[in-house]
Amino acid sequence: MHWRNMRSDDLPHVWNVAEAVHVDYAENPEVFAACFRLYPSGCRIVESDRGDIAGYLISHPGRQDRPPVLDTPLTGLPEPFDCYFLHDLALGPVARGSGLAAEAVRIVLDEARACGLTRVVLIAVGDAHGFWEKQGFGLLGDGRVAPAKGYGPEARMYQRHV
């Protein structure tokens, strides 16, 4: 399995992975399509040796004070950029435990550097907080995310400097 750049024909498969992995935080397919249209170089997929899609990464430049709203397609990237936003990372069961998540973090850090940005920001949901901390991310302030963003009460905003 390996990461590769996403193509437009991957989008239906990305949504299938999202629906299976993010049961409590599902986003409609247009969310992924909008991110791909706005910033395709931040969109990757995990492809198995058989050509199946086993995971995806969605990331883009953004603003800490204007994180994406869950299940709402972006209409543009908020400028001026002050961070690189790791919008979503999902790995299906066959891709987990393979080091691909840590590799995704390296990809995102490289993308941030290429954009001239010094921080990566994300919103951790569910039980993912420990994973992100192991990847070198720390809470951004108290980490709280505005309820209107739709992520739930356990959601916390994290950052990592590149």
Side-chain angles (χ1 to χ4, degrees), residues 16 44 54 68 78 102 135 151:
N16 290 338
R44 310 284 172 92
Q135 299 301 315
Y151 292 94

Side-chain angles (χ1 to χ4, degrees), residues 97-111:
S98 62
L100 288 163
E103 193 174 326
V105 170
R106 285 191 299 277
I107 290 168
V108 167
L109 294 172
D110 289 345
E111 282 288 326

Side-chain angles (χ1 to χ4, degrees), residues 62-79:
R63 289 189 54 84
Q64 167 192 323
D65 63 347
R66 294 199 320 232
V69 176
L70 187 69
D71 199 30
T72 302
L74 295 172
T75 56
L77 297 177
E79 295 186 49

Side-chain angles (χ1 to χ4, degrees), residues 19 43 58 103 114 116 135 139 152 154:
E19 193 174 47
C43 300
I58 306 287
E103 193 174 326
Q135 299 301 315
L139 284 176
E154 84 293 344

